[in-house]
Amino acid sequence: MPIPMELQHASDDFERFLADARDGSGLATRNQTYTMVEGVLRTFRRRLMPQQALAFADVLPPILRAIFVSRWDLAEPVLPFADRATLTREVQALRQHHNFAPGSCLTDVARALRRQVDKEPFDRVLATLPEGAAAFWHA
């Protein structure tokens, strides 16, 4: 079986995603953008049971999938979805002295991500997740 195209082009696709998220958020560098993206993915993951998180990961592009499951503490309690201001502060708390995520970070990352994923499976998975999951990725 040949290597799947999504794996063959994973780095290029990730660079396009980072550039899109960077431009949408007004951040200056890839490193700033990476921290914002990681914060958004971790914030979302904290609100899912492992089975739900893995189902969500399956609809992500390969590198974002890896970031989403990286450094996952399965003993961490699952949190409820909260208002966007609370979720944004949680994103901004990741490496807070090196985090430049703007107040629009959830929307900025959601817009960039929605341009990268297959929309039908993405929305289908979101519909199976707890209340608040679809709103989290609203762009």
Side-chain angles (χ1 to χ4, degrees):
M1 177 176 172
I3 300 171
M5 292 299 283
E6 73 170 356
L7 296 178
Q8 288 186 48
H9 300 287
S11 291
D12 293 337
D13 292 343
F14 182 63
E15 288 301 325
R16 275 191 293 280
F17 165 79
L18 276 182
D20 194 15
R22 180 200 62 218
D23 294 347
S25 65
L27 292 174
T29 70
R30 294 168 68 253
N31 291 333
Q32 292 171 347
T33 306
Y34 177 85
T35 295
M36 175 182 68
V37 168
E38 183 182 7
V40 169
L41 291 174
R42 284 183 180 202
T43 297
F44 185 70
R45 184 184 71 199
R46 284 188 188 106
R47 279 134 183 98
L48 303 177
M49 299 295 293
Q51 291 168 268
Q52 296 167 327
L54 292 174
F56 179 76
D58 277 345
V59 296
L60 294 176
I63 295 178
L64 290 171
R65 184 181 314 141
I67 295 167
F68 183 71
V69 299
S70 177
R71 296 186 204 107
W72 189 359
D73 179 0
L74 291 173
E76 191 176 64
V78 175
L79 301 175
F81 280 94
D83 61 89
R84 286 185 86 74
T86 300
L87 296 168
T88 298
R89 284 191 300 276
E90 186 176 327
V91 170
Q92 293 167 331
L94 175 67
R95 293 188 292 279
Q96 67 184 13
H97 299 296
H98 303 282
N99 189 325
F100 298 92
S104 60
C105 61
L106 296 174
T107 301
D108 300 335
V109 174
R111 274 194 192 115
L113 181 63
R114 285 188 166 278
R115 290 184 188 111
Q116 292 288 314
V117 297
D118 188 345
K119 289 166 186 46
E120 193 173 304
F122 186 77
D123 288 332
R124 190 171 39 248
V125 167
L126 287 179
T128 69
L129 300 179
E131 186 176 340
F136 187 97
W137 293 107
H138 180 75

